[in-house]
Amino acid sequence: MPKPLRIGSTARRVRNLKAGRLKTRVPAYPAPPIELAGKWVAWGKDHQIIAANESLIELKNFVESRGLREVTFQFLRELEPTQTH
Amino acid sequence: MRFAYSPQWVKPSPAERSQRIYVPELAVHVSSVQNTEAALDCLGTLDTGAVECLLPFEVSEVVAPVWIPGKEFLIGFGGERHEVTYGQVRLGIRLDNVEWRWTAIVGFSKDRTQGSLWGHAHFLDHFRVTFDGPQRHFTIRLRNAPPYGFTETHVSKSRRKRRR
């Protein structure tokens, strides 16, 4: 049986948008401390920094040794002029 | 699904006098093609100016990608050359109650000082992404049917509660 058209869901989304009900679902990560620029940080599921290290592998081992789950890793940009490729 | 921009520190310039900028960042699950245990969630910037996804080389030491032989060079905006090695990995994001995974070829660079970038090839081209600069949020969704090779896993309600 073919899937029904998703017109209803689009209409619902437009209705929610107009009513202002479509809120940000995933909150921002807070600004990390400026001293951590150029390092790897581990964010907990509550969007707080758990640990930081210059080595990603050491940081991951530390997080795993603590039994922490649902951790997100990020390399914080070094304080140089923004650069793209 | 809507995500808020996240603040980042930069050196002020005549164009951007603030030390703090807001960028669209997304946590992406990066894993090995063969071993799903070799994985990490990596927070990176959605970059519509990037041709491809580019990750710090250290990520490859965790996820052990299937390497594509040879080295390439990417040219920075100042003309500087950056050596890049390409590898095949699995990427994944969670949108609402569905985890989407797909195989992607990404670049790994030892020169990177800017963190991870999610570019067009194997990432942004799969999704409909809209950016709202003044409101500092972006919305990412799949357009119609998922692309070929995508796998979806529905996240149970209990797991969703745990992740929040």
PDB file of all heavy atoms in Angstrom, chain B residues 139-158:
ATOM      1  N   THR B 139      17.405  24.774  11.251  1.00  0.00           N
ATOM      2  CA  THR B 139      16.499  23.633  11.191  1.00  0.00           C
ATOM      3  C   THR B 139      17.049  22.650  10.172  1.00  0.00           C
ATOM      4  O   THR B 139      17.451  23.046   9.075  1.00  0.00           O
ATOM      5  CB  THR B 139      15.088  24.081  10.767  1.00  0.00           C
ATOM      6  OG1 THR B 139      14.663  25.110  11.657  1.00  0.00           O
ATOM      7  CG2 THR B 139      14.107  22.926  10.838  1.00  0.00           C
ATOM      8  N   ILE B 140      17.096  21.401  10.545  1.00  0.00           N
ATOM      9  CA  ILE B 140      17.609  20.379   9.637  1.00  0.00           C
ATOM     10  C   ILE B 140      16.568  19.272   9.533  1.00  0.00           C
ATOM     11  O   ILE B 140      16.007  18.842  10.540  1.00  0.00           O
ATOM     12  CB  ILE B 140      18.989  19.854  10.107  1.00  0.00           C
ATOM     13  CG1 ILE B 140      19.523  18.803   9.151  1.00  0.00           C
ATOM     14  CG2 ILE B 140      18.959  19.322  11.515  1.00  0.00           C
ATOM     15  CD1 ILE B 140      20.995  18.457   9.378  1.00  0.00           C
ATOM     16  N   ARG B 141      16.291  18.869   8.305  1.00  0.00           N
ATOM     17  CA  ARG B 141      15.319  17.800   8.098  1.00  0.00           C
ATOM     18  C   ARG B 141      15.642  17.076   6.795  1.00  0.00           C
ATOM     19  O   ARG B 141      16.332  17.617   5.924  1.00  0.00           O
ATOM     20  CB  ARG B 141      13.902  18.358   8.065  1.00  0.00           C
ATOM     21  CG  ARG B 141      13.632  19.353   6.960  1.00  0.00           C
ATOM     22  CD  ARG B 141      12.177  19.772   6.952  1.00  0.00           C
ATOM     23  NE  ARG B 141      11.874  20.673   8.030  1.00  0.00           N
ATOM     24  CZ  ARG B 141      11.678  21.985   7.880  1.00  0.00           C
ATOM     25  NH1 ARG B 141      11.776  22.534   6.686  1.00  0.00           N
ATOM     26  NH2 ARG B 141      11.408  22.745   8.892  1.00  0.00           N
ATOM     27  N   LEU B 142      15.143  15.873   6.718  1.00  0.00           N
ATOM     28  CA  LEU B 142      15.266  15.135   5.470  1.00  0.00           C
ATOM     29  C   LEU B 142      14.146  15.573   4.546  1.00  0.00           C
ATOM     30  O   LEU B 142      13.030  15.834   4.996  1.00  0.00           O
ATOM     31  CB  LEU B 142      15.160  13.638   5.725  1.00  0.00           C
ATOM     32  CG  LEU B 142      16.447  12.927   6.115  1.00  0.00           C
ATOM     33  CD1 LEU B 142      16.141  11.513   6.523  1.00  0.00           C
ATOM     34  CD2 LEU B 142      17.456  12.940   4.975  1.00  0.00           C
ATOM     35  N   ARG B 143      14.464  15.662   3.263  1.00  0.00           N
ATOM     36  CA  ARG B 143      13.452  16.079   2.310  1.00  0.00           C
ATOM     37  C   ARG B 143      12.888  14.828   1.646  1.00  0.00           C
ATOM     38  O   ARG B 143      13.616  14.086   1.002  1.00  0.00           O
ATOM     39  CB  ARG B 143      14.073  17.004   1.269  1.00  0.00           C
ATOM     40  CG  ARG B 143      13.112  17.597   0.304  1.00  0.00           C
ATOM     41  CD  ARG B 143      13.811  18.653  -0.537  1.00  0.00           C
ATOM     42  NE  ARG B 143      12.889  19.173  -1.540  1.00  0.00           N
ATOM     43  CZ  ARG B 143      12.779  18.675  -2.756  1.00  0.00           C
ATOM     44  NH1 ARG B 143      13.519  17.669  -3.109  1.00  0.00           N
ATOM     45  NH2 ARG B 143      11.929  19.199  -3.607  1.00  0.00           N
ATOM     46  N   ASN B 144      11.614  14.602   1.834  1.00  0.00           N
ATOM     47  CA  ASN B 144      10.942  13.433   1.265  1.00  0.00           C
ATOM     48  C   ASN B 144      11.611  12.142   1.748  1.00  0.00           C
ATOM     49  O   ASN B 144      11.986  12.033   2.903  1.00  0.00           O
ATOM     50  CB  ASN B 144      10.903  13.517  -0.264  1.00  0.00           C
ATOM     51  CG  ASN B 144      10.188  14.783  -0.723  1.00  0.00           C
ATOM     52  OD1 ASN B 144       9.220  15.192  -0.092  1.00  0.00           O
ATOM     53  ND2 ASN B 144      10.674  15.389  -1.778  1.00  0.00           N
ATOM     54  N   ALA B 145      11.817  11.209   0.828  1.00  0.00           N
ATOM     55  CA  ALA B 145      12.354   9.906   1.208  1.00  0.00           C
ATOM     56  C   ALA B 145      13.829  10.031   1.573  1.00  0.00           C
ATOM     57  O   ALA B 145      14.543  10.860   1.008  1.00  0.00           O
ATOM     58  CB  ALA B 145      12.188   8.932   0.049  1.00  0.00           C
ATOM     59  N   PRO B 146      14.302   9.204   2.510  1.00  0.00           N
ATOM     60  CA  PRO B 146      15.737   9.251   2.847  1.00  0.00           C
ATOM     61  C   PRO B 146      16.581   8.822   1.664  1.00  0.00           C
ATOM     62  O   PRO B 146      16.159   7.987   0.863  1.00  0.00           O
ATOM     63  CB  PRO B 146      15.843   8.254   4.005  1.00  0.00           C
ATOM     64  CG  PRO B 146      14.633   7.408   3.920  1.00  0.00           C
ATOM     65  CD  PRO B 146      13.563   8.232   3.299  1.00  0.00           C
ATOM     66  N   PRO B 147      17.766   9.396   1.530  1.00  0.00           N
ATOM     67  CA  PRO B 147      18.649   9.018   0.416  1.00  0.00           C
ATOM     68  C   PRO B 147      19.008   7.542   0.469  1.00  0.00           C
ATOM     69  O   PRO B 147      18.920   6.896   1.519  1.00  0.00           O
ATOM     70  CB  PRO B 147      19.879   9.901   0.629  1.00  0.00           C
ATOM     71  CG  PRO B 147      19.422  10.998   1.507  1.00  0.00           C
ATOM     72  CD  PRO B 147      18.342  10.442   2.370  1.00  0.00           C
ATOM     73  N   TYR B 148      19.451   7.034  -0.671  1.00  0.00           N
ATOM     74  CA  TYR B 148      19.848   5.627  -0.767  1.00  0.00           C
ATOM     75  C   TYR B 148      21.003   5.358   0.205  1.00  0.00           C
ATOM     76  O   TYR B 148      21.945   6.144   0.296  1.00  0.00           O
ATOM     77  CB  TYR B 148      20.283   5.320  -2.205  1.00  0.00           C
ATOM     78  CG  TYR B 148      20.761   3.909  -2.384  1.00  0.00           C
ATOM     79  CD1 TYR B 148      19.853   2.862  -2.453  1.00  0.00           C
ATOM     80  CD2 TYR B 148      22.118   3.624  -2.462  1.00  0.00           C
ATOM     81  CE1 TYR B 148      20.286   1.557  -2.603  1.00  0.00           C
ATOM     82  CE2 TYR B 148      22.562   2.323  -2.613  1.00  0.00           C
ATOM     83  CZ  TYR B 148      21.635   1.287  -2.681  1.00  0.00           C
ATOM     84  OH  TYR B 148      22.078   0.009  -2.815  1.00  0.00           O
ATOM     85  N   GLY B 149      20.904   4.243   0.897  1.00  0.00           N
ATOM     86  CA  GLY B 149      21.960   3.856   1.815  1.00  0.00           C
ATOM     87  C   GLY B 149      21.746   4.335   3.245  1.00  0.00           C
ATOM     88  O   GLY B 149      22.509   3.973   4.135  1.00  0.00           O
ATOM     89  N   PHE B 150      20.746   5.144   3.462  1.00  0.00           N
ATOM     90  CA  PHE B 150      20.456   5.604   4.819  1.00  0.00           C
ATOM     91  C   PHE B 150      19.758   4.487   5.599  1.00  0.00           C
ATOM     92  O   PHE B 150      18.896   3.795   5.063  1.00  0.00           O
ATOM     93  CB  PHE B 150      19.538   6.832   4.786  1.00  0.00           C
ATOM     94  CG  PHE B 150      20.273   8.131   4.780  1.00  0.00           C
ATOM     95  CD1 PHE B 150      21.316   8.347   3.900  1.00  0.00           C
ATOM     96  CD2 PHE B 150      19.917   9.154   5.651  1.00  0.00           C
ATOM     97  CE1 PHE B 150      21.992   9.556   3.891  1.00  0.00           C
ATOM     98  CE2 PHE B 150      20.578  10.361   5.654  1.00  0.00           C
ATOM     99  CZ  PHE B 150      21.622  10.571   4.771  1.00  0.00           C
ATOM    100  N   THR B 151      20.136   4.353   6.841  1.00  0.00           N
ATOM    101  CA  THR B 151      19.401   3.441   7.718  1.00  0.00           C
ATOM    102  C   THR B 151      18.779   4.261   8.829  1.00  0.00           C
ATOM    103  O   THR B 151      19.336   5.278   9.257  1.00  0.00           O
ATOM    104  CB  THR B 151      20.325   2.373   8.333  1.00  0.00           C
ATOM    105  OG1 THR B 151      21.357   3.040   9.072  1.00  0.00           O
ATOM    106  CG2 THR B 151      20.951   1.512   7.255  1.00  0.00           C
ATOM    107  N   GLU B 152      17.607   3.836   9.258  1.00  0.00           N
ATOM    108  CA  GLU B 152      16.938   4.579  10.322  1.00  0.00           C
ATOM    109  C   GLU B 152      16.656   3.660  11.489  1.00  0.00           C
ATOM    110  O   GLU B 152      16.339   2.488  11.327  1.00  0.00           O
ATOM    111  CB  GLU B 152      15.643   5.217   9.814  1.00  0.00           C
ATOM    112  CG  GLU B 152      14.599   4.241   9.324  1.00  0.00           C
ATOM    113  CD  GLU B 152      13.346   4.959   8.876  1.00  0.00           C
ATOM    114  OE1 GLU B 152      12.636   5.531   9.726  1.00  0.00           O
ATOM    115  OE2 GLU B 152      13.064   4.941   7.667  1.00  0.00           O
ATOM    116  N   THR B 153      16.821   4.210  12.674  1.00  0.00           N
ATOM    117  CA  THR B 153      16.520   3.486  13.900  1.00  0.00           C
ATOM    118  C   THR B 153      15.622   4.367  14.745  1.00  0.00           C
ATOM    119  O   THR B 153      15.983   5.515  15.032  1.00  0.00           O
ATOM    120  CB  THR B 153      17.816   3.175  14.683  1.00  0.00           C
ATOM    121  OG1 THR B 153      18.745   2.557  13.793  1.00  0.00           O
ATOM    122  CG2 THR B 153      17.537   2.276  15.863  1.00  0.00           C
ATOM    123  N   HIS B 154      14.482   3.829  15.100  1.00  0.00           N
ATOM    124  CA  HIS B 154      13.585   4.616  15.933  1.00  0.00           C
ATOM    125  C   HIS B 154      14.026   4.521  17.389  1.00  0.00           C
ATOM    126  O   HIS B 154      14.307   3.433  17.884  1.00  0.00           O
ATOM    127  CB  HIS B 154      12.145   4.139  15.768  1.00  0.00           C
ATOM    128  CG  HIS B 154      11.580   4.548  14.437  1.00  0.00           C
ATOM    129  ND1 HIS B 154      10.782   5.660  14.283  1.00  0.00           N
ATOM    130  CD2 HIS B 154      11.744   4.026  13.194  1.00  0.00           C
ATOM    131  CE1 HIS B 154      10.477   5.792  12.991  1.00  0.00           C
ATOM    132  NE2 HIS B 154      11.045   4.816  12.320  1.00  0.00           N
ATOM    133  N   VAL B 155      14.081   5.673  18.029  1.00  0.00           N
ATOM    134  CA  VAL B 155      14.514   5.735  19.425  1.00  0.00           C
ATOM    135  C   VAL B 155      13.285   5.598  20.299  1.00  0.00           C
ATOM    136  O   VAL B 155      12.283   6.286  20.086  1.00  0.00           O
ATOM    137  CB  VAL B 155      15.219   7.073  19.707  1.00  0.00           C
ATOM    138  CG1 VAL B 155      15.719   7.119  21.138  1.00  0.00           C
ATOM    139  CG2 VAL B 155      16.356   7.278  18.731  1.00  0.00           C
ATOM    140  N   SER B 156      13.378   4.676  21.261  1.00  0.00           N
ATOM    141  CA  SER B 156      12.214   4.453  22.117  1.00  0.00           C
ATOM    142  C   SER B 156      11.988   5.654  23.022  1.00  0.00           C
ATOM    143  O   SER B 156      12.876   6.460  23.254  1.00  0.00           O
ATOM    144  CB  SER B 156      12.426   3.203  22.957  1.00  0.00           C
ATOM    145  OG  SER B 156      13.499   3.433  23.847  1.00  0.00           O
ATOM    146  N   LYS B 157      10.771   5.729  23.560  1.00  0.00           N
ATOM    147  CA  LYS B 157      10.433   6.866  24.424  1.00  0.00           C
ATOM    148  C   LYS B 157      11.323   6.918  25.651  1.00  0.00           C
ATOM    149  O   LYS B 157      11.774   7.967  26.069  1.00  0.00           O
ATOM    150  CB  LYS B 157       8.968   6.781  24.849  1.00  0.00           C
ATOM    151  CG  LYS B 157       8.008   7.276  23.792  1.00  0.00           C
ATOM    152  CD  LYS B 157       6.597   7.273  24.322  1.00  0.00           C
ATOM    153  CE  LYS B 157       5.663   7.788  23.237  1.00  0.00           C
ATOM    154  NZ  LYS B 157       4.259   7.710  23.659  1.00  0.00           N
ATOM    155  N   SER B 158      11.597   5.735  26.242  1.00  0.00           N
ATOM    156  CA  SER B 158      12.407   5.723  27.459  1.00  0.00           C
ATOM    157  C   SER B 158      13.807   6.227  27.160  1.00  0.00           C
ATOM    158  O   SER B 158      14.405   6.959  27.935  1.00  0.00           O
ATOM    159  CB  SER B 158      12.468   4.315  28.041  1.00  0.00           C
ATOM    160  OG  SER B 158      12.994   3.439  27.072  1.00  0.00           O
TER     161      SER B 158
END
